[in-house]
Amino acid sequence: MPAATPMKPKNPDRRRFLTDTARGAAGCALAGMGLAWLARDARALPATAIRPPGALAEDDFLSACIRCGLCVRDCPYDTLKLAELGDDGAATGTPYFTARDIPCEMCDDIPCVAACPTGALDKELDLFDDADMGVAVLIDLENCLNALGLRCDVCYRVCPLIDEAITLEQSHNPRSGHHAIFMPTVHADKCTGCGKCEKSCVLPNASAIKVLPARIARAEAADHYRLGWEENQPIVDELIDLPDRLPGPGTDNLQAPGGYVEEFKPTFKLPKGGVGQ
Amino acid sequence: MSTRSNTPVGHEAVALKGWFSAHRYLLLRRLSQVFFLGLFLLGPWFGIWWVKGNLAGSLTFDTLPLTDPFVLLQSLAAGHLPELTAIVGAIIVAIAYALIGGRVYCSWVCPINPVTDAASWLHRRFDLPKGWQPKRQTRFFMLAMVFVVSAATGTIAWEVVNPVSMVYRGLIFGMGFAWAFVIGVFLFDLILARRGWCGHLCPVGAFYGLVGERSVLRVSATNRAACDNCMDCFAVCPENHVISPALKGKAGDTPLILSPDCTNCGRCIDVCAVDVFAFTHRFDDRVNNTVTRAVDAPTEPAV
């Protein structure tokens, strides 16, 4: 009677094994989904947490950083710290710094990068000026003293790449009508993101100029627009840079400054009696 | 067990060998755990930078790099090819544990071990129900899951939640809310599942168990003829399924505890009043068949 005995499994051990395996696998798959969610969530790096110099892009960084803290140990200025669970927002145990607290001092030998055993901090970075931890952004134009027309200049003066990463750009001060505004202006290609400007901003509490990760601070260039003033630059100087036609010595129009000859005599004559009348 | 003995585990051993002998390996392990943590804390606490870093990666005397091979393999799974320093460090660690027993990491170094030991001790004291007991193999599913999640998310996934590195890093670099993980594991082991974390779920332990699959250092039930079935070793062993094949093996079976689940913690040696167990190497499968029960164990508690 084959129909009467389906309740009894042929091989109870095998059945138990399969049940247990399925149960274990299902439980772990569930745990894995939770873990994957946490791991994805941990990528949301807050804008104020700046990674050390040479850090790989955030996605690559989280696959490379083993959170050993050797970069923190070799930082001579205690700039770097490891994110603590729940306190800081950066993925737990990963290194970062807060520019407003302790900025990066841009050591010549970049000891934090040298200390990294895994390459999460890229050893290709050998000149600190090439570091790209973030970009300073003058973010509060309403409270920045320079933007108000005063001469604070502190962010500009403390910049290790003064006149390169930050310049003061003059413009007319329309409020007073006869003063200038010296606007601190960051040049992203030079700025390393060290944060000394953010640290030294004289405003209370938050700084008017903040270092932000490039992914937040920067837009992509509009390559589909043609910048006429850049395209008109001569490609080969000698070919296009013709002598300017100016009055005065050295030009080919010595007789007529401004191109005007008083006694101008045309080489042809109009027919007498006017034309067509 | 329905008829549970009311005498505390290891009582006979204490009475016969003295308290210190009956806790020798326990004390040594606590010393070892404090020693390794102390090495890492010398720097931040006293400014003596012999060892920098933490269990995930460290640099000793500015020359010896050590890396957790489990973390590094997750990094590989996540798609990063680490620099040579980290790889060399991981190979050194893997070789060391392959020789002395992978799960020596669990019982002699891991900072969660005192936590789960404490939970287990309380569990025994209060005679709590053993609760949820997933299969021992569950940890290997967890291990596989960690690698899958690492590959899928491109992160070193287990480090997001790993209580082991969380606690060590917390003590050395700053705790944050990492203590919540300690309390979580403690309560899990105490209330939800006896020996649940280390014995069933932790993928770090599972990984190191695999590393030490053929380790040289082993515990052997050399003197198994003397066993008086007091069951103290089973009660105290965090992985007590490893004992039976060695202790209760037939003549001709090896007395060596060869299961990679054994953490080489040595507690069975401690609590055995008749000294059945001893540390030895995996090629030493001698069995002492002459029963040498020097002193009869007292049957009543002394107090």
Short mmCIF file of all heavy atoms in Angstrom, two decimals, chain A residues 38-94:
data_model
loop_
_atom_site.label_atom_id
_atom_site.label_comp_id
_atom_site.label_asym_id
_atom_site.label_seq_id
_atom_site.Cartn_x
_atom_site.Cartn_y
_atom_site.Cartn_z
N LEU A 38 22.73 47.59 7.02
CA LEU A 38 23.61 48.38 7.88
C LEU A 38 24.85 48.83 7.13
O LEU A 38 25.30 49.97 7.25
CB LEU A 38 24.02 47.57 9.12
CG LEU A 38 22.97 47.44 10.21
CD1 LEU A 38 23.45 46.47 11.28
CD2 LEU A 38 22.71 48.80 10.85
N ALA A 39 25.42 47.89 6.33
CA ALA A 39 26.65 48.20 5.62
C ALA A 39 26.42 49.29 4.58
O ALA A 39 27.25 50.19 4.41
CB ALA A 39 27.20 46.94 4.95
N ARG A 40 25.27 49.24 3.91
CA ARG A 40 24.95 50.29 2.93
C ARG A 40 24.73 51.62 3.66
O ARG A 40 25.19 52.67 3.21
CB ARG A 40 23.67 49.94 2.14
CG ARG A 40 23.73 48.65 1.39
CD ARG A 40 24.51 48.72 0.12
NE ARG A 40 24.05 49.76 -0.79
CZ ARG A 40 24.51 49.89 -2.04
NH1 ARG A 40 25.42 49.05 -2.47
NH2 ARG A 40 24.09 50.83 -2.82
N ASP A 41 24.03 51.51 4.78
CA ASP A 41 23.72 52.70 5.55
C ASP A 41 25.00 53.39 6.02
O ASP A 41 25.08 54.61 6.09
CB ASP A 41 22.87 52.30 6.75
CG ASP A 41 22.10 53.48 7.31
OD1 ASP A 41 21.51 54.20 6.49
OD2 ASP A 41 22.10 53.67 8.52
N ALA A 42 26.03 52.59 6.31
CA ALA A 42 27.26 53.14 6.86
C ALA A 42 28.01 53.98 5.83
O ALA A 42 28.94 54.69 6.17
CB ALA A 42 28.16 51.99 7.34
N ARG A 43 27.58 53.93 4.57
CA ARG A 43 28.28 54.72 3.56
C ARG A 43 27.89 56.19 3.62
O ARG A 43 28.53 57.02 2.99
CB ARG A 43 27.93 54.21 2.18
CG ARG A 43 28.45 52.84 1.91
CD ARG A 43 27.81 52.36 0.64
NE ARG A 43 28.60 51.31 0.04
CZ ARG A 43 28.44 50.93 -1.20
NH1 ARG A 43 27.56 51.53 -1.96
NH2 ARG A 43 29.16 49.97 -1.71
N ALA A 44 26.81 56.49 4.30
CA ALA A 44 26.34 57.88 4.34
C ALA A 44 27.27 58.70 5.22
O ALA A 44 27.04 58.87 6.40
CB ALA A 44 24.92 57.92 4.86
N LEU A 45 28.34 59.17 4.62
CA LEU A 45 29.34 59.93 5.36
C LEU A 45 28.83 61.36 5.54
O LEU A 45 28.48 62.02 4.57
CB LEU A 45 30.64 59.93 4.57
CG LEU A 45 31.84 60.61 5.21
CD1 LEU A 45 32.31 59.83 6.41
CD2 LEU A 45 32.96 60.74 4.19
N PRO A 46 28.77 61.85 6.78
CA PRO A 46 28.31 63.23 6.95
C PRO A 46 29.28 64.24 6.34
O PRO A 46 30.47 63.98 6.23
CB PRO A 46 28.24 63.39 8.48
CG PRO A 46 29.01 62.27 9.04
CD PRO A 46 29.06 61.19 8.04
N ALA A 47 28.74 65.37 5.92
CA ALA A 47 29.55 66.34 5.18
C ALA A 47 30.66 66.94 6.02
O ALA A 47 31.67 67.38 5.48
CB ALA A 47 28.64 67.44 4.64
N THR A 48 30.50 66.94 7.34
CA THR A 48 31.53 67.56 8.18
C THR A 48 32.67 66.60 8.50
O THR A 48 33.69 67.00 9.04
CB THR A 48 30.92 68.03 9.51
OG1 THR A 48 30.11 66.98 10.02
CG2 THR A 48 30.09 69.28 9.30
N ALA A 49 32.50 65.30 8.18
CA ALA A 49 33.55 64.33 8.44
C ALA A 49 34.45 64.26 7.22
O ALA A 49 34.03 63.81 6.17
CB ALA A 49 32.94 62.96 8.75
N ILE A 50 35.69 64.73 7.38
CA ILE A 50 36.63 64.76 6.26
C ILE A 50 37.58 63.59 6.40
O ILE A 50 38.17 63.37 7.46
CB ILE A 50 37.41 66.09 6.25
CG1 ILE A 50 36.44 67.28 6.28
CG2 ILE A 50 38.32 66.16 5.04
CD1 ILE A 50 35.52 67.36 5.09
N ARG A 51 37.75 62.83 5.33
CA ARG A 51 38.66 61.68 5.34
C ARG A 51 40.10 62.17 5.29
O ARG A 51 40.39 63.25 4.80
CB ARG A 51 38.38 60.79 4.12
CG ARG A 51 37.06 60.06 4.16
CD ARG A 51 37.05 58.97 5.20
NE ARG A 51 35.81 58.18 5.17
CZ ARG A 51 35.33 57.55 6.22
NH1 ARG A 51 35.93 57.64 7.39
NH2 ARG A 51 34.23 56.83 6.13
N PRO A 52 41.05 61.33 5.75
CA PRO A 52 42.47 61.71 5.72
C PRO A 52 42.96 61.93 4.29
O PRO A 52 42.29 61.52 3.33
CB PRO A 52 43.17 60.51 6.35
CG PRO A 52 42.12 59.73 7.03
CD PRO A 52 40.83 60.02 6.34
N PRO A 53 44.12 62.58 4.14
CA PRO A 53 44.66 62.79 2.79
C PRO A 53 44.90 61.46 2.08
O PRO A 53 45.27 60.47 2.71
CB PRO A 53 45.97 63.52 3.03
CG PRO A 53 46.31 63.26 4.46
CD PRO A 53 44.99 63.13 5.17
N GLY A 54 44.68 61.43 0.80
CA GLY A 54 44.95 60.23 0.02
C GLY A 54 43.87 59.18 0.13
O GLY A 54 44.00 58.11 -0.47
N ALA A 55 42.80 59.46 0.91
CA ALA A 55 41.74 58.45 1.07
C ALA A 55 41.10 58.16 -0.28
O ALA A 55 40.85 59.08 -1.07
CB ALA A 55 40.70 58.95 2.06
N LEU A 56 40.84 56.89 -0.54
CA LEU A 56 40.14 56.51 -1.76
C LEU A 56 38.73 57.09 -1.72
O LEU A 56 38.25 57.51 -0.67
CB LEU A 56 40.06 54.98 -1.87
CG LEU A 56 41.38 54.22 -1.81
CD1 LEU A 56 41.13 52.72 -1.80
CD2 LEU A 56 42.27 54.60 -3.00
N ALA A 57 38.07 57.10 -2.85
CA ALA A 57 36.68 57.54 -2.89
C ALA A 57 35.87 56.70 -1.91
O ALA A 57 36.19 55.53 -1.69
CB ALA A 57 36.12 57.37 -4.30
N GLU A 58 34.85 57.30 -1.31
CA GLU A 58 34.20 56.68 -0.15
C GLU A 58 33.81 55.21 -0.36
O GLU A 58 34.04 54.38 0.51
CB GLU A 58 32.97 57.52 0.23
CG GLU A 58 32.29 57.06 1.51
CD GLU A 58 33.15 57.20 2.76
OE1 GLU A 58 34.22 57.83 2.68
OE2 GLU A 58 32.77 56.65 3.80
N ASP A 59 33.27 54.89 -1.52
CA ASP A 59 32.87 53.50 -1.76
C ASP A 59 34.07 52.56 -1.72
O ASP A 59 34.01 51.47 -1.13
CB ASP A 59 32.18 53.38 -3.12
CG ASP A 59 30.72 53.79 -3.01
OD1 ASP A 59 30.29 54.15 -1.89
OD2 ASP A 59 30.02 53.77 -4.02
N ASP A 60 35.16 52.98 -2.34
CA ASP A 60 36.37 52.16 -2.34
C ASP A 60 37.00 52.14 -0.95
O ASP A 60 37.56 51.14 -0.52
CB ASP A 60 37.38 52.69 -3.36
CG ASP A 60 36.84 52.60 -4.77
OD1 ASP A 60 36.02 51.70 -5.02
OD2 ASP A 60 37.23 53.44 -5.60
N PHE A 61 36.90 53.28 -0.28
CA PHE A 61 37.51 53.39 1.04
C PHE A 61 36.94 52.36 2.00
O PHE A 61 37.67 51.72 2.75
CB PHE A 61 37.30 54.81 1.59
CG PHE A 61 38.03 55.07 2.87
CD1 PHE A 61 39.40 55.31 2.87
CD2 PHE A 61 37.37 55.07 4.08
CE1 PHE A 61 40.08 55.54 4.04
CE2 PHE A 61 38.04 55.30 5.27
CZ PHE A 61 39.39 55.54 5.25
N LEU A 62 35.62 52.17 1.95
CA LEU A 62 34.98 51.24 2.88
C LEU A 62 35.29 49.79 2.56
O LEU A 62 35.10 48.91 3.39
CB LEU A 62 33.47 51.47 2.91
CG LEU A 62 33.04 52.76 3.60
CD1 LEU A 62 31.53 52.87 3.61
CD2 LEU A 62 33.59 52.86 5.00
N SER A 63 35.78 49.52 1.35
CA SER A 63 36.20 48.16 1.06
C SER A 63 37.67 47.96 1.43
O SER A 63 38.15 46.83 1.46
CB SER A 63 36.00 47.84 -0.42
OG SER A 63 36.95 48.53 -1.21
N ALA A 64 38.38 49.05 1.70
CA ALA A 64 39.82 48.94 1.92
C ALA A 64 40.23 49.20 3.36
O ALA A 64 41.22 48.65 3.83
CB ALA A 64 40.55 49.92 1.00
N CYS A 65 39.51 50.05 4.06
CA CYS A 65 39.93 50.45 5.41
C CYS A 65 39.54 49.36 6.40
O CYS A 65 38.37 49.00 6.52
CB CYS A 65 39.26 51.76 5.80
SG CYS A 65 39.56 52.22 7.52
N ILE A 66 40.57 48.83 7.12
CA ILE A 66 40.28 47.78 8.10
C ILE A 66 40.08 48.37 9.49
O ILE A 66 39.93 47.65 10.46
CB ILE A 66 41.39 46.71 8.14
CG1 ILE A 66 42.74 47.34 8.49
CG2 ILE A 66 41.48 45.98 6.81
CD1 ILE A 66 43.82 46.31 8.79
N ARG A 67 40.09 49.68 9.61
CA ARG A 67 39.75 50.38 10.85
C ARG A 67 40.75 50.07 11.96
O ARG A 67 40.37 49.87 13.10
CB ARG A 67 38.33 50.02 11.27
CG ARG A 67 37.36 50.24 10.14
CD ARG A 67 36.07 49.50 10.30
NE ARG A 67 35.33 49.53 9.02
CZ ARG A 67 34.04 49.72 8.91
NH1 ARG A 67 33.31 49.88 9.97
NH2 ARG A 67 33.47 49.76 7.74
N CYS A 68 42.04 49.99 11.59
CA CYS A 68 43.05 49.65 12.58
C CYS A 68 43.52 50.87 13.36
O CYS A 68 44.06 50.75 14.44
CB CYS A 68 44.25 48.98 11.91
SG CYS A 68 45.13 50.07 10.76
N GLY A 69 43.32 52.06 12.78
CA GLY A 69 43.68 53.27 13.51
C GLY A 69 45.17 53.62 13.46
O GLY A 69 45.62 54.49 14.21
N LEU A 70 45.95 52.97 12.60
CA LEU A 70 47.38 53.29 12.54
C LEU A 70 47.60 54.71 12.00
O LEU A 70 48.56 55.38 12.38
CB LEU A 70 48.12 52.27 11.68
CG LEU A 70 48.27 50.89 12.33
CD1 LEU A 70 48.94 49.91 11.39
CD2 LEU A 70 49.08 50.99 13.61
N CYS A 71 46.72 55.18 11.12
CA CYS A 71 46.83 56.56 10.64
C CYS A 71 46.59 57.54 11.77
O CYS A 71 47.27 58.56 11.90
CB CYS A 71 45.85 56.81 9.50
SG CYS A 71 44.14 56.39 9.89
N VAL A 72 45.64 57.19 12.64
CA VAL A 72 45.34 58.04 13.80
C VAL A 72 46.57 58.13 14.69
O VAL A 72 46.94 59.19 15.18
CB VAL A 72 44.15 57.47 14.57
CG1 VAL A 72 43.92 58.22 15.87
CG2 VAL A 72 42.90 57.50 13.72
N ARG A 73 47.22 56.97 14.90
CA ARG A 73 48.38 56.93 15.79
C ARG A 73 49.53 57.76 15.24
O ARG A 73 50.30 58.34 16.00
CB ARG A 73 48.83 55.49 15.98
CG ARG A 73 47.88 54.67 16.83
CD ARG A 73 47.79 55.24 18.23
NE ARG A 73 46.83 54.49 19.04
CZ ARG A 73 45.83 55.06 19.71
NH1 ARG A 73 45.64 56.36 19.66
NH2 ARG A 73 45.02 54.32 20.45
N ASP A 74 49.70 57.78 13.94
CA ASP A 74 50.85 58.48 13.38
C ASP A 74 50.56 59.93 13.03
O ASP A 74 51.43 60.63 12.50
CB ASP A 74 51.37 57.71 12.15
CG ASP A 74 52.21 56.51 12.58
OD1 ASP A 74 52.20 56.21 13.80
OD2 ASP A 74 52.86 55.87 11.74
N CYS A 75 49.36 60.39 13.31
CA CYS A 75 49.05 61.80 13.08
C CYS A 75 49.64 62.62 14.22
O CYS A 75 49.23 62.46 15.37
CB CYS A 75 47.53 62.01 13.01
SG CYS A 75 47.06 63.75 12.90
N PRO A 76 50.63 63.49 13.94
CA PRO A 76 51.32 64.18 15.03
C PRO A 76 50.47 65.26 15.71
O PRO A 76 50.84 65.75 16.77
CB PRO A 76 52.54 64.82 14.35
CG PRO A 76 52.41 64.56 12.90
CD PRO A 76 51.13 63.86 12.63
N TYR A 77 49.37 65.63 15.10
CA TYR A 77 48.59 66.74 15.65
C TYR A 77 47.25 66.29 16.22
O TYR A 77 46.39 67.11 16.51
CB TYR A 77 48.38 67.80 14.57
CG TYR A 77 49.68 68.36 14.06
CD1 TYR A 77 50.28 67.87 12.91
CD2 TYR A 77 50.35 69.35 14.78
CE1 TYR A 77 51.48 68.36 12.46
CE2 TYR A 77 51.56 69.85 14.35
CZ TYR A 77 52.12 69.34 13.18
OH TYR A 77 53.33 69.84 12.75
N ASP A 78 47.08 64.98 16.36
CA ASP A 78 45.80 64.44 16.86
C ASP A 78 44.61 64.95 16.06
O ASP A 78 43.52 65.12 16.59
CB ASP A 78 45.60 64.78 18.35
CG ASP A 78 46.59 64.03 19.23
OD1 ASP A 78 47.10 63.00 18.77
OD2 ASP A 78 46.86 64.49 20.34
N THR A 79 44.86 65.18 14.79
CA THR A 79 43.77 65.63 13.92
C THR A 79 42.80 64.48 13.67
O THR A 79 41.59 64.62 13.84
CB THR A 79 44.35 66.11 12.58
OG1 THR A 79 45.24 67.18 12.83
CG2 THR A 79 43.24 66.56 11.64
N LEU A 80 43.37 63.33 13.30
CA LEU A 80 42.53 62.20 12.92
C LEU A 80 41.99 61.49 14.15
O LEU A 80 42.62 61.45 15.19
CB LEU A 80 43.34 61.20 12.08
CG LEU A 80 43.80 61.69 10.71
CD1 LEU A 80 44.68 60.65 10.04
CD2 LEU A 80 42.59 62.01 9.84
N LYS A 81 40.79 60.97 14.00
CA LYS A 81 40.21 60.12 15.04
C LYS A 81 39.38 59.03 14.36
O LYS A 81 39.05 59.15 13.18
CB LYS A 81 39.35 60.95 15.99
CG LYS A 81 38.33 61.81 15.27
CD LYS A 81 37.77 62.89 16.18
CE LYS A 81 36.93 63.85 15.37
NZ LYS A 81 36.29 64.89 16.14
N LEU A 82 39.10 57.98 15.12
CA LEU A 82 38.26 56.91 14.59
C LEU A 82 36.82 57.18 15.00
O LEU A 82 36.55 57.52 16.15
CB LEU A 82 38.70 55.54 15.12
CG LEU A 82 40.05 55.01 14.64
CD1 LEU A 82 40.25 53.57 15.11
CD2 LEU A 82 40.19 55.08 13.13
N ALA A 83 35.91 57.01 14.07
CA ALA A 83 34.49 57.26 14.35
C ALA A 83 34.01 56.29 15.43
O ALA A 83 34.27 55.10 15.35
CB ALA A 83 33.67 57.09 13.09
N GLU A 84 33.36 56.83 16.43
CA GLU A 84 32.81 55.98 17.48
C GLU A 84 31.36 55.66 17.16
O GLU A 84 30.64 56.50 16.63
CB GLU A 84 32.94 56.67 18.84
CG GLU A 84 34.38 56.79 19.28
CD GLU A 84 34.52 57.56 20.57
OE1 GLU A 84 33.55 57.67 21.32
OE2 GLU A 84 35.63 58.06 20.82
N LEU A 85 30.98 54.45 17.54
CA LEU A 85 29.65 53.98 17.18
C LEU A 85 28.58 54.93 17.71
O LEU A 85 28.52 55.24 18.89
CB LEU A 85 29.44 52.59 17.74
CG LEU A 85 28.14 51.91 17.30
CD1 LEU A 85 28.22 51.57 15.83
CD2 LEU A 85 27.87 50.69 18.12
N GLY A 86 27.73 55.39 16.83
CA GLY A 86 26.58 56.17 17.25
C GLY A 86 26.87 57.63 17.53
O GLY A 86 25.96 58.43 17.63
N ASP A 87 28.17 57.99 17.67
CA ASP A 87 28.47 59.35 18.05
C ASP A 87 28.75 60.26 16.87
O ASP A 87 28.47 61.44 16.91
CB ASP A 87 29.70 59.38 18.98
CG ASP A 87 29.32 58.97 20.38
OD1 ASP A 87 28.12 58.76 20.62
OD2 ASP A 87 30.22 58.86 21.24
N ASP A 88 29.35 59.72 15.83
CA ASP A 88 29.94 60.59 14.83
C ASP A 88 29.31 60.50 13.46
O ASP A 88 29.43 61.42 12.67
CB ASP A 88 31.44 60.27 14.70
CG ASP A 88 32.13 60.41 16.04
OD1 ASP A 88 31.94 61.46 16.67
OD2 ASP A 88 32.82 59.49 16.45
N GLY A 89 28.67 59.41 13.16
CA GLY A 89 28.01 59.33 11.86
C GLY A 89 28.83 58.69 10.78
O GLY A 89 28.29 57.99 9.95
N ALA A 90 30.17 58.90 10.79
CA ALA A 90 30.99 58.18 9.81
C ALA A 90 30.93 56.70 10.16
O ALA A 90 30.66 56.34 11.30
CB ALA A 90 32.42 58.69 9.84
N ALA A 91 31.17 55.82 9.16
CA ALA A 91 31.13 54.38 9.40
C ALA A 91 31.98 54.05 10.62
O ALA A 91 33.13 54.51 10.72
CB ALA A 91 31.64 53.63 8.18
N THR A 92 31.45 53.28 11.54
CA THR A 92 32.10 53.09 12.83
C THR A 92 33.52 52.57 12.67
O THR A 92 33.79 51.65 11.91
CB THR A 92 31.28 52.16 13.72
OG1 THR A 92 31.95 52.02 14.97
CG2 THR A 92 31.10 50.78 13.10
N GLY A 93 34.45 53.21 13.38
CA GLY A 93 35.83 52.78 13.38
C GLY A 93 36.68 53.32 12.25
O GLY A 93 37.88 53.07 12.20
N THR A 94 36.09 54.08 11.33
CA THR A 94 36.89 54.60 10.22
C THR A 94 37.45 55.98 10.59
O THR A 94 36.85 56.70 11.38
CB THR A 94 36.04 54.73 8.95
OG1 THR A 94 34.87 55.50 9.23
CG2 THR A 94 35.63 53.36 8.44
#
